[in-house]
Amino acid sequence: AQSVTQLDSHVSVSEGTPVLLRCNYSSSYSPSLFWYVQHPNKGLQLLLKYTSAATLVKGINGFEAEFKKSETSFHLTKPSAHMSDAAEYFCVVTLNTGGFKTIFGAGTRLFVKA
Amino acid sequence: DVKVTQSSRYLVKRTGEKVFLECVQDMDHENMFWYRQDPGLGLRLIYFSYDVKMKEKGDIPEGYSVSREKKERFSLILESASTNQTSMYLCASSLPERSTGELFFGEGSRLTVL
C-alpha cells in the first residue's frame, strides 16, 4: 500500500537554528515527491519537488530536501530558521499508476521562537 | 504567474442552504481538484475532473457535487449544507499524466455552516 508518514506533528526551533522536517514514504511505484508549505488561512505553496533527477533538491526560501531511495525518505531541511518559516509543511507523494494518485502526509507544524 | 482563484475566501451559511464554491485557473490545466482540510484529518479529496464535463469521485464525495462546464472553471456544490461541512475547502489544478503531478492551489475558501 502507498503511504506518506511525516514523523513529527510539531517541530519547534529557535530562530537561526537548523530545521529538519522528516518524511518517509511507502510505494511500489517510482514516486514524484513534493514539499508544500501552508501559512495560516492560505493555500498550499510548492517549496520543492523531486522527479527522478538529482537526489538533492533545492527549493525556495533556502529549503532543500534529499531523496534517499534506500531509506524511502525525503526529509526537508534549512540551515537557519527565520520567523517567517513558521507554517505547516506537507510532504506529498504523487504516483503515476496510469492515472495520477496524490497522497498527502498529515502535516508538520513548524514553530520558530525568537 | 500561474494562478488558481477561489472567489469566496470566507462564507457563512445556514443549515440547508445551497452553497456554490467557485474555482478558476488560468494555466489551461486539464486536471482540477477539490479538497477539504480539517484539523487532524489533513487534506481529503472530494471530487476531481480530468476534462470538461468529466468528474470523478474522490475519497469523500457524499454531500457534494461538482460542475465543470468550461476548462478553466470547477465548481463545488453543497446541495443542502450541514454543520459537518464546516471546513476549509481547497481547489487545485495540475497538468495531465505526462507531467510530474505538481498541484497548484488556490488560497482556500473557509466555510462555516451554522
Side-chain angles (χ1 to χ4, degrees):
Chain A
Q2 279 63 242
S3 65
V4 178
T5 303
Q6 292 185 241
L7 296 159
D8 307 290
S9 59
H10 299 87
V11 170
S12 182
V13 301
S14 296
E15 192 174 22
T17 65
V19 176
L20 170 64
L21 305 183
R22 299 181 293 165
C23 174
N24 285 97
Y25 70 94
S26 171
S27 172
S28 50
Y29 300 88
S30 294
S32 295
L33 295 154
F34 306 83
W35 277 98
Y36 289 84
V37 61
Q38 185 181 32
H39 291 278
N41 293 310
K42 297 284 190 180
L44 278 69
Q45 178 188 13
L46 181 70
L47 271 180
L48 49 80
K49 61 183 177 183
Y50 166 77
T51 56
S52 75
T55 56
L56 182 62
V57 182
K58 293 188 185 298
I60 61 171
N61 300 336
F63 284 94
E64 62 182 40
E66 186 171 7
F67 172 64
K68 292 187 176 180
K69 187 174 182 178
S70 60
E71 299 175 11
T72 60
S73 69
F74 191 57
H75 301 333
L76 181 70
T77 60
K78 183 174 180 177
S80 175
H82 190 272
M83 295 297 289
S84 61
D85 295 327
E88 187 146 25
Y89 292 78
F90 292 91
C91 181
V92 180
V93 170
T94 297
L95 307 168
N96 193 343
T97 61
F100 273 131
K101 182 171 177 62
T102 298
I103 305 168
F104 287 83
T108 298
R109 184 162 293 279
L110 176 65
F111 297 93
V112 182
K113 298 174 289 187
Chain B
D1 218 8
V2 297
K3 204 165 177 68
V4 178
T5 302
Q6 294 181 235
S7 52
S8 301
R9 293 295 318 279
Y10 300 93
L11 304 95
V12 180
K13 298 291 182 181
R14 299 228 173 256
T15 301
E17 280 193 79
K18 191 169 186 175
V19 182
F20 291 88
L21 300 180
E22 303 286 341
C23 175
V24 177
Q25 51 97 1
D26 65 359
M27 297 167 280
D28 202 35
H29 284 171
E30 280 81 356
N31 304 333
M32 296 189 75
F33 307 83
W34 275 106
Y35 292 89
R36 65 176 283 176
Q37 183 179 23
D38 301 287
L41 296 176
L43 275 79
R44 293 180 290 168
L45 182 63
I46 306 171
Y47 267 97
F48 60 99
S49 169
Y50 285 148
D51 203 349
V52 175
K53 296 193 184 292
M54 177 273 179
K55 59 187 178 185
E56 293 282 348
K57 292 180 180 179
D59 300 318
I60 52 162
E62 295 78 19
Y64 304 94
S65 62
V66 290
S67 172
R68 191 157 183 211
E69 296 296 318
K70 294 185 178 181
K71 189 176 185 180
E72 67 270 19
R73 187 180 297 270
F74 193 36
S75 303
L76 181 69
I77 303 156
L78 288 66
E79 292 288 342
S80 178
S82 63
T83 54
N84 63 12
Q85 292 178 310
T86 292
S87 186
M88 173 72 130
Y89 291 88
L90 293 168
C91 176
S93 69
S94 74
L95 289 165
E97 283 75 15
R98 64 179 178 274
S99 74
T100 61
E102 176 185 344
L103 291 167
F104 296 84
F105 284 88
E107 297 242 294
S109 298
R110 186 167 292 283
L111 172 66
T112 301
V113 183
L114 301 175

